[in-house]
Amino acid sequence: MSDDHRVRILWVMSPDPESHSWRIALRGELDAESAPDLQARIDAFVAQRASLVIVDLAEVSFLDSSGLRALVHGARALEKTGGRLLVEGASGAVARVLELTDLLERLTDQP
């Protein structure tokens, strides 16, 4: 796989440092090659006692089981410390994978 398709972290920001919330935007393919980078970033947020991590998937074109594992690992780690991981912007095949694995409802604010 070329680096053009590998997921890249576009930006990370804390909209409100007092609330310990973080937003991370991704672009590319979230797969076995790139998922460890996301997982490491989420683990760093957990270590900082984040209460909310929002992962923006609007520009992610592919999501495999490794990417799912990174998201689930992050969600579970945050839940253990009273936090929450949410995903936003998933569409097309990425949204379908989240839906088929019953993660779309769990990781979004959708009822």
Side-chain angles (χ1 to χ4, degrees):
M1 176 185 311
S2 75
D3 285 340
D4 292 341
H5 297 290
R6 187 169 185 213
V7 79
R8 291 190 338 236
I9 296 173
L10 294 177
W11 49 265
V12 176
M13 67 178 237
S14 179
D16 180 5
E18 294 297 316
S19 71
H20 300 281
S21 62
W22 294 89
R23 177 179 294 271
I24 181 169
L26 307 176
R27 173 187 289 157
E29 297 182 355
L30 186 50
D31 57 15
E33 188 176 338
S34 58
D37 295 337
L38 175 61
Q39 187 167 326
R41 181 65 66 137
I42 294 170
D43 287 345
F45 294 147
V46 172
Q48 294 174 31
R49 297 301 224 185
S51 60
L52 175 65
V53 174
I54 299 170
V55 180
D56 184 340
L57 301 174
E59 295 191 46
V60 173
S61 58
F62 178 81
L63 175 66
D64 74 0
S65 61
S66 300
L68 288 171
R69 184 173 50 248
L71 292 170
V72 169
H73 169 84
R76 287 182 178 158
L78 283 158
E79 287 168 4
K80 285 181 183 176
T81 62
R84 186 156 185 217
L85 182 139
L86 297 174
V87 296
E88 284 185 351
S91 63
V94 173
R96 185 72 177 137
V97 168
L98 291 170
E99 183 181 351
L100 289 171
T101 56
D102 290 329
L103 289 174
L104 189 61
E105 188 174 316
R106 177 180 172 201
L107 298 178
T108 63
D109 278 332
Q110 298 175 4

XYZ file of all heavy atoms in Angstrom:
850
model
N 0.849 -1.175 0.000
C 0.000 0.000 0.000
C 0.892 1.235 0.000
O 1.869 1.326 0.718
C -0.880 -0.014 1.243
C -1.726 1.216 1.366
S -2.666 1.259 2.905
C -3.383 -0.354 2.927
N 0.538 2.196 -0.790
C 1.322 3.432 -0.837
C 0.958 4.322 0.342
O -0.104 4.212 0.921
C 1.066 4.172 -2.147
O -0.187 4.789 -2.117
N 1.877 5.224 0.669
C 1.624 6.152 1.769
C 0.470 7.091 1.470
O -0.094 7.700 2.379
C 2.883 6.965 2.082
C 3.912 6.123 2.815
O 3.530 5.096 3.390
O 5.098 6.497 2.803
N 0.074 7.228 0.196
C -1.045 8.096 -0.170
C -2.352 7.606 0.442
O -3.262 8.389 0.672
C -1.208 8.176 -1.691
C -0.041 8.898 -2.342
O 0.678 9.623 -1.630
O 0.141 8.716 -3.549
N -2.458 6.298 0.698
C -3.698 5.734 1.211
C -3.670 5.526 2.720
O -4.704 5.322 3.325
C -4.004 4.410 0.523
C -4.216 4.568 -0.941
N -5.317 5.188 -1.465
C -3.458 4.214 -1.992
C -5.234 5.197 -2.779
N -4.109 4.608 -3.122
N -2.489 5.543 3.310
C -2.372 5.320 4.737
C -3.069 6.448 5.487
O -2.988 7.608 5.099
C -0.901 5.278 5.114
C -0.701 4.897 6.543
C 0.741 4.614 6.817
N 0.826 4.149 8.189
C 1.838 4.388 8.970
N 2.864 5.060 8.525
N 1.838 3.952 10.199
N -3.741 6.110 6.568
C -4.451 7.138 7.324
C -3.444 8.136 7.890
O -2.354 7.778 8.311
C -5.333 6.517 8.438
C -4.526 6.128 9.650
C -6.455 7.434 8.822
N -3.824 9.374 7.811
C -3.008 10.447 8.383
C -3.863 11.196 9.392
O -5.057 11.406 9.172
C -2.546 11.417 7.298
C -1.556 10.816 6.363
C -0.908 11.840 5.446
N -1.639 13.061 5.257
C -2.014 13.538 4.068
N -1.750 12.885 2.980
N -2.662 14.676 3.981
N -3.229 11.620 10.439
C -3.916 12.471 11.404
C -3.832 13.878 10.852
O -2.746 14.425 10.684
C -3.284 12.356 12.792
C -3.466 10.930 13.320
C -3.877 13.394 13.736
C -2.748 10.637 14.615
N -4.983 14.439 10.484
C -5.018 15.780 9.912
C -4.792 16.834 10.978
O -4.041 17.774 10.789
C -6.359 16.039 9.221
C -6.652 15.196 7.987
C -8.042 15.528 7.455
C -5.610 15.452 6.911
N -5.477 16.694 12.070
C -5.309 17.631 13.172
C -5.892 17.047 14.443
O -6.716 16.154 14.414
C -5.928 18.987 12.874
C -7.328 18.979 12.352
C -7.698 19.029 11.043
C -8.543 18.905 13.084
N -9.061 18.986 10.932
C -9.605 18.916 12.176
C -8.849 18.824 14.428
C -10.953 18.848 12.560
C -10.185 18.766 14.822
C -11.203 18.785 13.875
N -5.418 17.568 15.550
C -5.900 17.197 16.877
C -6.108 18.497 17.618
O -5.272 19.393 17.556
C -4.851 16.347 17.636
C -5.324 16.054 19.043
C -4.541 15.070 16.884
N -7.231 18.599 18.281
C -7.434 19.810 19.071
C -8.247 19.508 20.308
O -8.982 18.522 20.357
C -8.115 20.900 18.257
C -9.532 20.615 17.855
S -10.211 22.007 16.952
C -11.632 22.387 17.952
N -8.086 20.334 21.283
C -8.878 20.261 22.495
C -9.742 21.508 22.523
O -9.255 22.586 22.842
C -7.983 20.205 23.730
O -8.782 20.163 24.894
N -11.021 21.371 22.142
C -11.875 22.553 22.086
C -12.036 23.239 23.436
O -12.242 24.433 23.497
C -13.202 22.021 21.582
C -13.119 20.549 21.608
C -11.693 20.149 21.791
N -11.918 22.471 24.518
C -12.062 23.045 25.845
C -11.138 22.286 26.789
O -11.512 21.231 27.296
C -13.513 22.945 26.313
C -13.727 23.524 27.697
O -12.773 24.087 28.272
O -14.843 23.390 28.213
N -9.927 22.804 27.014
C -8.970 22.088 27.866
C -9.519 21.758 29.252
O -9.159 20.751 29.837
C -7.786 23.044 27.961
C -7.906 23.940 26.785
C -9.387 24.054 26.499
N -10.401 22.569 29.765
C -10.980 22.327 31.082
C -11.851 21.071 31.095
O -11.970 20.407 32.111
C -11.800 23.532 31.545
C -10.966 24.771 31.782
C -9.947 24.587 32.891
O -10.291 24.028 33.950
O -8.787 24.995 32.686
N -12.475 20.758 29.960
C -13.361 19.592 29.904
C -12.612 18.314 29.560
O -13.189 17.237 29.576
C -14.472 19.815 28.876
O -13.925 19.768 27.568
N -11.337 18.429 29.232
C -10.524 17.269 28.859
C -11.113 16.514 27.669
O -11.115 15.294 27.636
C -10.328 16.329 30.047
C -9.651 16.975 31.201
N -8.295 17.169 31.247
C -10.155 17.511 32.343
C -7.981 17.780 32.371
N -9.084 18.006 33.056
N -11.606 17.262 26.700
C -12.143 16.641 25.494
C -11.201 16.916 24.329
O -10.526 17.946 24.293
C -13.543 17.165 25.185
O -13.520 18.550 24.941
N -11.157 15.954 23.395
C -10.259 16.030 22.256
C -10.999 15.642 20.996
O -11.889 14.792 21.020
C -9.074 15.083 22.448
C -8.192 15.488 23.568
C -8.312 15.117 24.880
C -7.078 16.360 23.499
N -7.329 15.711 25.619
C -6.550 16.470 24.797
C -6.465 17.051 22.457
C -5.443 17.242 25.088
C -5.347 17.811 22.744
C -4.856 17.908 24.051
N -10.599 16.241 19.903
C -11.142 15.906 18.586
C -9.950 15.588 17.688
O -8.977 16.336 17.657
C -11.937 17.066 18.016
C -12.466 16.829 16.618
C -13.276 18.023 16.137
N -14.490 18.187 16.913
C -15.644 17.593 16.605
N -15.728 16.814 15.564
N -16.707 17.800 17.345
N -10.060 14.467 16.961
C -8.983 14.051 16.068
C -9.586 13.743 14.693
O -10.579 13.023 14.604
C -8.212 12.847 16.651
C -7.074 12.413 15.736
C -9.125 11.690 16.952
C -6.130 11.425 16.379
N -9.032 14.350 13.664
C -9.531 14.147 12.296
C -8.539 13.281 11.526
O -7.331 13.520 11.579
C -9.715 15.483 11.591
N -9.073 12.297 10.814
C -8.250 11.352 10.064
C -8.539 11.446 8.574
O -9.638 11.830 8.175
C -8.526 9.921 10.527
C -8.408 9.651 12.024
C -8.819 8.213 12.320
C -7.008 9.911 12.511
N -7.556 11.027 7.763
C -7.741 10.958 6.318
C -7.016 9.718 5.799
O -5.887 9.445 6.195
C -7.151 12.173 5.630
C -7.189 12.043 4.094
C -6.472 13.157 3.392
N -7.251 14.379 3.548
C -6.744 15.596 3.444
N -5.469 15.766 3.197
N -7.511 16.652 3.579
N -7.675 8.967 4.903
C -7.034 7.818 4.267
C -7.664 6.512 4.689
O -8.860 6.435 4.937
N -6.843 5.459 4.757
C -7.310 4.121 5.092
C -6.884 3.759 6.506
O -5.705 3.839 6.845
C -6.742 3.118 4.092
C -7.231 3.378 2.680
C -6.716 2.378 1.668
O -5.892 1.502 2.014
O -7.145 2.469 0.506
N -7.854 3.355 7.306
C -7.586 2.942 8.682
C -7.531 1.425 8.695
O -8.553 0.742 8.696
C -8.672 3.491 9.609
C -8.497 3.288 11.106
C -7.111 3.710 11.581
C -9.571 4.045 11.854
N -6.296 0.895 8.650
C -6.092 -0.540 8.484
C -4.960 -1.023 9.388
O -4.517 -0.292 10.272
C -5.810 -0.867 7.015
C -4.613 -0.123 6.454
O -3.819 0.440 7.243
O -4.469 -0.091 5.222
N -4.491 -2.249 9.149
C -3.467 -2.857 10.002
C -2.188 -2.032 10.055
O -1.485 -2.030 11.074
C -3.155 -4.275 9.512
N -1.881 -1.333 9.003
C -0.667 -0.528 8.963
C -0.807 0.766 9.757
O 0.144 1.239 10.369
C -0.327 -0.201 7.506
C 1.013 0.458 7.326
C 1.357 0.665 5.861
O 0.811 -0.024 4.996
O 2.175 1.563 5.604
N -1.989 1.349 9.765
C -2.159 2.667 10.372
C -2.894 2.668 11.713
O -2.764 3.617 12.481
C -2.907 3.582 9.397
O -4.160 3.020 9.062
N -3.626 1.608 12.011
C -4.405 1.569 13.255
C -3.551 1.737 14.509
O -3.995 2.395 15.461
C -5.230 0.283 13.320
N -2.330 1.179 14.563
C -1.529 1.380 15.781
C -1.239 2.855 16.085
O -1.155 3.238 17.254
C -0.236 0.609 15.481
C -0.660 -0.460 14.518
C -1.706 0.207 13.651
N -1.113 3.682 15.052
C -0.898 5.114 15.278
C -2.099 5.747 15.966
O -1.964 6.548 16.890
C -0.621 5.842 13.962
C 0.677 5.405 13.305
O 1.563 4.885 14.013
O 0.787 5.573 12.084
N -3.296 5.396 15.499
C -4.516 5.919 16.118
C -4.641 5.405 17.544
O -4.947 6.173 18.461
C -5.753 5.531 15.304
C -7.089 5.917 15.932
C -7.200 7.433 16.114
C -8.252 5.388 15.113
N -4.387 4.117 17.732
C -4.507 3.549 19.064
C -3.533 4.220 20.031
O -3.902 4.535 21.164
C -4.265 2.047 19.026
C -4.543 1.377 20.353
C -4.604 -0.126 20.244
O -5.039 -0.669 19.245
N -4.171 -0.798 21.279
N -2.324 4.490 19.586
C -1.341 5.162 20.446
C -1.810 6.568 20.814
O -1.644 7.016 21.955
C 0.020 5.216 19.750
N -2.398 7.265 19.856
C -2.896 8.621 20.128
C -4.039 8.572 21.139
O -4.068 9.368 22.087
C -3.361 9.260 18.822
C -3.875 10.667 18.964
C -2.806 11.640 19.396
N -1.812 11.777 18.360
C -1.289 12.919 17.969
N -1.666 14.044 18.531
N -0.382 12.954 17.030
N -4.963 7.636 20.959
C -6.078 7.513 21.904
C -5.557 7.123 23.284
O -6.016 7.657 24.306
C -7.132 6.511 21.384
C -7.796 7.061 20.113
C -8.178 6.228 22.460
C -8.683 6.053 19.391
N -4.587 6.196 23.340
C -4.006 5.810 24.632
C -3.389 7.022 25.338
O -3.474 7.138 26.562
C -2.948 4.720 24.440
C -3.551 3.359 24.112
O -4.767 3.168 24.307
O -2.790 2.485 23.647
N -2.787 7.920 24.569
C -2.216 9.138 25.161
C -3.314 10.013 25.754
O -3.144 10.603 26.827
C -1.419 9.916 24.118
N -4.456 10.094 25.066
C -5.583 10.866 25.598
C -6.102 10.234 26.889
O -6.442 10.937 27.841
C -6.727 10.948 24.586
C -6.406 11.732 23.346
C -6.963 11.356 22.132
C -5.568 12.824 23.366
C -6.694 12.071 20.972
C -5.287 13.546 22.213
C -5.853 13.159 21.015
N -6.167 8.903 26.923
C -6.616 8.195 28.130
C -5.665 8.514 29.283
O -6.109 8.799 30.400
C -6.704 6.670 27.880
C -6.970 5.920 29.180
C -7.793 6.359 26.851
N -4.366 8.488 29.015
C -3.371 8.786 30.049
C -3.521 10.215 30.576
O -3.194 10.483 31.731
C -1.963 8.568 29.499
N -4.038 11.113 29.721
C -4.266 12.503 30.133
C -5.641 12.684 30.786
O -6.067 13.796 31.036
C -4.163 13.426 28.921
C -2.784 13.481 28.321
C -2.769 14.292 27.033
O -3.528 15.233 26.851
N -1.895 13.914 26.123
N -6.329 11.580 31.022
C -7.656 11.581 31.653
C -8.703 12.301 30.812
O -9.530 13.060 31.331
C -7.609 12.194 33.046
C -6.746 11.443 34.013
C -7.241 10.066 34.147
N -7.273 9.620 35.526
C -7.588 8.388 35.838
N -7.889 7.539 34.905
N -7.595 8.009 37.078
N -8.688 12.055 29.520
C -9.690 12.651 28.630
C -11.076 12.170 29.026
O -11.266 11.005 29.359
C -9.407 12.272 27.175
N -12.033 13.068 28.971
C -13.417 12.686 29.257
C -14.168 12.364 27.963
O -15.146 11.629 27.983
C -14.138 13.806 30.006
O -14.149 14.987 29.226
N -13.701 12.911 26.849
C -14.347 12.684 25.561
C -13.305 12.773 24.450
O -12.513 13.719 24.419
C -15.434 13.741 25.312
C -16.135 13.709 23.951
C -16.940 12.420 23.773
C -17.038 14.930 23.794
N -13.315 11.783 23.563
C -12.486 11.809 22.362
C -13.417 11.607 21.181
O -14.159 10.622 21.124
C -11.396 10.715 22.376
C -10.653 10.679 21.039
C -10.428 10.928 23.532
N -13.419 12.559 20.262
C -14.229 12.471 19.052
C -13.295 12.196 17.887
O -12.339 12.947 17.662
C -15.018 13.766 18.805
C -15.963 14.032 19.976
C -15.781 13.687 17.472
C -16.606 15.406 19.956
N -13.546 11.110 17.161
C -12.737 10.738 16.010
C -13.546 11.062 14.755
O -14.607 10.488 14.530
C -12.357 9.242 16.045
C -11.501 8.876 14.832
C -11.622 8.898 17.347
N -13.051 11.993 13.967
C -13.715 12.428 12.744
C -13.263 11.527 11.592
O -12.093 11.553 11.200
C -13.365 13.883 12.464
C -14.091 14.459 11.266
O -14.578 13.686 10.419
O -14.163 15.687 11.174
N -14.190 10.743 11.065
C -13.896 9.781 9.999
C -14.352 10.266 8.626
O -14.383 9.488 7.674
C -14.570 8.435 10.310
C -14.160 7.757 11.621
C -15.015 6.510 11.858
C -12.690 7.414 11.616
N -14.695 11.535 8.500
C -15.257 12.056 7.251
C -14.347 11.818 6.053
O -14.828 11.619 4.936
C -15.579 13.544 7.386
N -13.040 11.829 6.265
C -12.117 11.653 5.149
C -11.413 10.295 5.174
O -10.386 10.108 4.525
C -11.103 12.797 5.129
C -11.770 14.138 4.844
C -10.777 15.233 4.559
O -9.842 15.003 3.774
O -10.953 16.319 5.134
N -11.993 9.345 5.910
C -11.468 7.981 5.924
C -12.213 7.193 4.854
O -13.441 7.138 4.847
C -11.625 7.326 7.315
C -11.244 5.853 7.276
C -10.778 8.072 8.333
N -11.460 6.584 3.939
C -12.056 5.893 2.796
C -12.177 4.388 2.988
O -12.883 3.722 2.238
C -11.227 6.170 1.537
O -9.887 5.742 1.742
N -11.487 3.839 4.000
C -11.467 2.389 4.208
C -11.249 2.108 5.680
O -10.453 2.786 6.339
C -10.335 1.762 3.380
C -10.186 0.281 3.557
C -11.013 -0.599 2.880
C -9.210 -0.237 4.401
C -10.878 -1.967 3.043
C -9.067 -1.605 4.572
C -9.902 -2.471 3.887
N -11.950 1.109 6.194
C -11.839 0.726 7.600
C -11.881 -0.789 7.680
O -12.854 -1.405 7.239
C -12.997 1.342 8.391
C -13.140 0.979 9.865
C -11.961 1.511 10.675
C -14.452 1.526 10.415
N -10.810 -1.397 8.219
C -10.822 -2.853 8.360
C -10.879 -3.231 9.844
O -11.056 -2.371 10.710
C -9.634 -3.497 7.630
C -8.298 -3.313 8.329
O -8.238 -2.680 9.408
O -7.284 -3.812 7.788
N -10.714 -4.519 10.128
C -10.849 -5.002 11.502
C -9.796 -4.397 12.432
O -10.061 -4.206 13.621
C -10.770 -6.529 11.544
O -9.520 -6.980 11.062
N -8.634 -4.059 11.912
C -7.607 -3.426 12.749
C -8.038 -2.023 13.175
O -7.821 -1.620 14.318
C -6.282 -3.338 11.990
O -5.843 -4.618 11.635
N -8.646 -1.302 12.252
C -9.172 0.012 12.586
C -10.311 -0.076 13.584
O -10.401 0.721 14.527
N -11.183 -1.069 13.377
C -12.275 -1.297 14.334
C -11.713 -1.599 15.715
O -12.192 -1.085 16.720
C -13.157 -2.454 13.874
C -14.047 -2.198 12.675
C -14.690 -3.505 12.216
C -15.114 -1.163 12.997
N -10.692 -2.444 15.742
C -10.078 -2.817 17.021
C -9.513 -1.585 17.733
O -9.668 -1.425 18.944
C -8.989 -3.867 16.801
C -8.380 -4.381 18.094
C -7.420 -5.553 17.915
N -6.417 -5.328 16.886
C -6.365 -5.999 15.727
N -7.259 -6.914 15.440
N -5.408 -5.741 14.858
N -8.868 -0.682 16.995
C -8.329 0.536 17.608
C -9.447 1.391 18.204
O -9.310 1.930 19.307
C -7.534 1.336 16.579
N -10.565 1.505 17.479
C -11.693 2.290 17.984
C -12.313 1.642 19.217
O -12.603 2.315 20.209
C -12.742 2.471 16.888
C -12.331 3.347 15.705
C -13.354 3.253 14.579
C -12.120 4.792 16.133
N -12.512 0.318 19.168
C -13.110 -0.390 20.309
C -12.174 -0.347 21.510
O -12.616 -0.106 22.643
C -13.469 -1.844 19.926
C -13.840 -2.660 21.152
C -14.604 -1.861 18.909
N -10.885 -0.559 21.283
C -9.906 -0.483 22.369
C -9.967 0.902 23.030
O -9.989 1.014 24.256
C -8.498 -0.757 21.828
C -7.414 -0.451 22.804
N -7.017 -1.339 23.771
C -6.660 0.664 22.980
C -6.066 -0.783 24.500
N -5.816 0.426 24.041
N -9.996 1.937 22.198
C -10.069 3.294 22.729
C -11.342 3.546 23.508
O -11.319 4.149 24.583
N -12.464 3.077 22.966
C -13.751 3.252 23.649
C -13.743 2.566 25.009
O -14.176 3.139 26.012
C -14.886 2.722 22.781
N -13.239 1.348 25.047
C -13.198 0.598 26.317
C -12.259 1.254 27.321
O -12.579 1.343 28.513
C -12.779 -0.839 26.064
C -13.867 -1.656 25.404
C -13.448 -3.083 25.213
N -14.535 -3.850 24.613
C -14.363 -4.970 23.958
N -13.146 -5.470 23.786
N -15.402 -5.605 23.445
N -11.097 1.695 26.856
C -10.138 2.342 27.763
C -10.722 3.617 28.345
O -10.570 3.894 29.543
C -8.838 2.634 27.013
N -11.395 4.398 27.514
C -12.012 5.630 28.010
C -13.158 5.328 28.961
O -13.322 6.021 29.976
C -12.492 6.493 26.839
C -11.372 7.245 26.133
C -11.775 7.632 24.720
C -10.988 8.476 26.934
N -13.956 4.305 28.665
C -15.068 3.948 29.543
C -14.574 3.550 30.932
O -15.215 3.853 31.933
C -15.888 2.810 28.921
C -16.725 3.265 27.741
C -17.311 2.119 26.938
O -17.142 0.932 27.313
O -17.949 2.408 25.903
N -13.424 2.889 30.999
C -12.866 2.471 32.292
C -12.518 3.661 33.172
O -12.472 3.537 34.396
C -11.617 1.612 32.080
C -11.915 0.219 31.615
C -10.630 -0.571 31.452
C -10.922 -1.958 30.907
N -9.681 -2.717 30.652
N -12.256 4.808 32.560
C -11.907 6.008 33.333
C -13.056 7.019 33.355
O -12.852 8.178 33.701
C -10.636 6.670 32.762
O -10.874 7.079 31.409
C -9.454 5.721 32.822
N -14.245 6.562 32.941
C -15.413 7.437 32.960
C -15.550 8.313 31.733
O -16.376 9.221 31.705
N -14.748 8.062 30.703
C -14.806 8.860 29.480
C -15.585 8.169 28.379
O -16.184 7.107 28.581
N -15.547 8.780 27.206
C -16.298 8.243 26.073
C -15.584 8.563 24.768
O -15.006 9.639 24.624
C -17.694 8.861 26.051
C -18.591 8.254 24.995
C -20.039 8.413 25.327
N -20.813 7.703 24.314
C -21.950 8.094 23.836
N -22.501 9.204 24.289
N -22.579 7.395 22.923
N -15.640 7.625 23.823
C -15.137 7.835 22.470
C -16.328 7.849 21.529
O -17.193 6.971 21.601
C -14.169 6.716 22.068
C -13.558 6.876 20.676
C -12.088 6.496 20.704
C -14.281 6.046 19.638
N -16.384 8.861 20.684
C -17.431 8.962 19.672
C -16.792 9.092 18.304
O -15.691 9.629 18.179
C -18.317 10.191 19.913
C -19.122 10.236 21.197
C -19.823 11.581 21.322
C -20.124 9.100 21.240
N -17.484 8.611 17.273
C -17.038 8.836 15.904
C -18.047 9.749 15.224
O -19.239 9.730 15.539
C -16.859 7.525 15.100
C -15.768 6.669 15.708
C -18.156 6.753 14.982
N -17.540 10.540 14.292
C -18.371 11.455 13.507
C -17.975 11.352 12.052
O -16.838 11.016 11.728
C -18.147 12.900 13.927
C -18.784 13.323 15.191
C -18.593 14.814 15.456
O -17.815 15.483 14.737
O -19.215 15.303 16.395
N -18.908 11.674 11.165
C -18.599 11.861 9.759
C -18.432 10.601 8.946
O -18.101 10.693 7.766
N -18.640 9.442 9.530
C -18.475 8.200 8.763
C -19.543 8.129 7.675
O -20.708 8.413 7.910
C -18.579 6.991 9.680
N -19.112 7.767 6.482
C -20.064 7.621 5.378
C -19.623 6.471 4.494
O -18.531 5.917 4.657
C -20.151 8.924 4.568
O -18.902 9.205 3.981
N -20.479 6.100 3.569
C -20.156 5.055 2.607
C -19.766 3.750 3.265
O -20.400 3.294 4.217
N -18.695 3.155 2.755
C -18.240 1.849 3.229
C -17.828 1.882 4.694
O -18.035 0.916 5.429
C -17.088 1.356 2.363
N -17.261 2.992 5.139
C -16.828 3.102 6.537
C -18.046 3.056 7.462
O -18.061 2.318 8.452
C -16.001 4.384 6.755
C -15.699 4.603 8.233
C -14.702 4.308 5.948
N -19.082 3.796 7.137
C -20.306 3.771 7.938
C -20.942 2.388 7.902
O -21.461 1.909 8.917
C -21.295 4.820 7.431
N -20.883 1.750 6.758
C -21.480 0.407 6.615
C -20.758 -0.600 7.503
O -21.398 -1.432 8.147
C -21.437 -0.028 5.148
C -22.122 -1.336 4.891
C -23.635 -1.194 5.006
N -24.248 -2.474 4.675
C -25.246 -3.008 5.342
N -25.802 -2.356 6.338
N -25.729 -4.172 4.992
N -19.443 -0.542 7.547
C -18.680 -1.449 8.416
C -19.063 -1.210 9.875
O -19.296 -2.160 10.631
C -17.157 -1.270 8.210
C -16.368 -1.983 9.298
C -16.747 -1.775 6.841
N -19.152 0.044 10.278
C -19.553 0.356 11.653
C -20.967 -0.136 11.941
O -21.251 -0.637 13.033
C -19.447 1.861 11.899
C -18.031 2.431 11.928
C -18.068 3.949 11.936
C -17.247 1.901 13.127
N -21.849 -0.010 10.965
C -23.227 -0.464 11.129
C -23.297 -1.992 11.246
O -23.983 -2.526 12.133
C -24.061 0.013 9.939
C -25.518 -0.343 10.026
C -26.307 0.131 8.811
O -25.770 0.888 7.981
O -27.465 -0.271 8.707
N -22.597 -2.699 10.368
C -22.631 -4.168 10.368
C -22.052 -4.762 11.641
O -22.424 -5.863 12.042
C -21.882 -4.721 9.155
C -22.567 -4.527 7.807
C -21.634 -4.927 6.674
C -23.862 -5.327 7.741
N -21.148 -4.063 12.275
C -20.523 -4.548 13.500
C -21.215 -4.008 14.753
O -20.718 -4.200 15.866
C -19.029 -4.164 13.526
O -18.905 -2.747 13.386
C -18.263 -4.873 12.426
N -22.351 -3.356 14.566
C -23.126 -2.768 15.668
C -22.351 -1.707 16.447
O -22.646 -1.440 17.609
C -23.635 -3.848 16.628
C -24.723 -4.700 16.015
O -25.490 -4.180 15.177
O -24.804 -5.891 16.365
N -21.368 -1.096 15.809
C -20.606 -0.048 16.478
C -21.112 1.350 16.148
O -20.827 2.285 16.883
C -19.122 -0.158 16.113
C -18.403 -1.355 16.711
C -16.990 -1.450 16.168
C -18.398 -1.266 18.226
N -21.852 1.494 15.065
C -22.311 2.825 14.670
C -23.148 3.454 15.779
O -22.906 4.591 16.186
C -23.101 2.766 13.363
C -23.441 4.122 12.750
C -22.175 4.898 12.413
C -24.282 3.940 11.504
N -24.097 2.707 16.296
C -24.947 3.239 17.362
C -24.162 3.435 18.659
O -24.324 4.437 19.349
C -26.127 2.304 17.610
C -27.150 2.877 18.563
C -28.379 2.000 18.670
O -28.878 1.514 17.651
O -28.834 1.818 19.818
N -23.284 2.504 18.972
C -22.510 2.585 20.225
C -21.552 3.771 20.233
O -21.331 4.392 21.282
C -21.728 1.302 20.418
C -20.848 1.334 21.636
C -20.080 0.067 21.836
N -19.121 0.268 22.913
C -18.061 -0.459 23.084
N -17.796 -1.467 22.272
N -17.236 -0.220 24.071
N -20.965 4.092 19.074
C -19.931 5.109 19.030
C -20.415 6.462 18.481
O -19.597 7.323 18.160
C -18.734 4.614 18.210
C -18.021 3.380 18.738
C -16.892 2.972 17.801
C -17.508 3.587 20.154
N -21.715 6.625 18.368
C -22.258 7.907 17.951
C -23.330 8.322 18.938
O -23.749 7.549 19.786
C -22.869 7.857 16.525
O -23.977 6.954 16.531
C -21.847 7.424 15.488
N -23.790 9.544 18.798
C -24.880 10.021 19.641
C -26.241 9.690 19.053
O -27.261 10.148 19.552
C -24.771 11.541 19.857
C -23.777 11.879 20.958
O -23.587 11.047 21.859
O -23.215 12.979 20.917
N -26.257 8.921 17.956
C -27.528 8.567 17.317
C -28.276 7.563 18.170
O -27.677 6.644 18.732
C -27.276 7.962 15.931
C -26.600 8.902 14.974
C -26.252 8.214 13.665
O -26.573 7.074 13.447
N -25.592 8.952 12.807
N -29.595 7.719 18.272
C -30.392 6.755 19.065
C -30.498 5.417 18.350
O -30.325 5.290 17.190
C -31.759 7.418 19.163
C -31.800 8.487 18.140
C -30.374 8.790 17.752
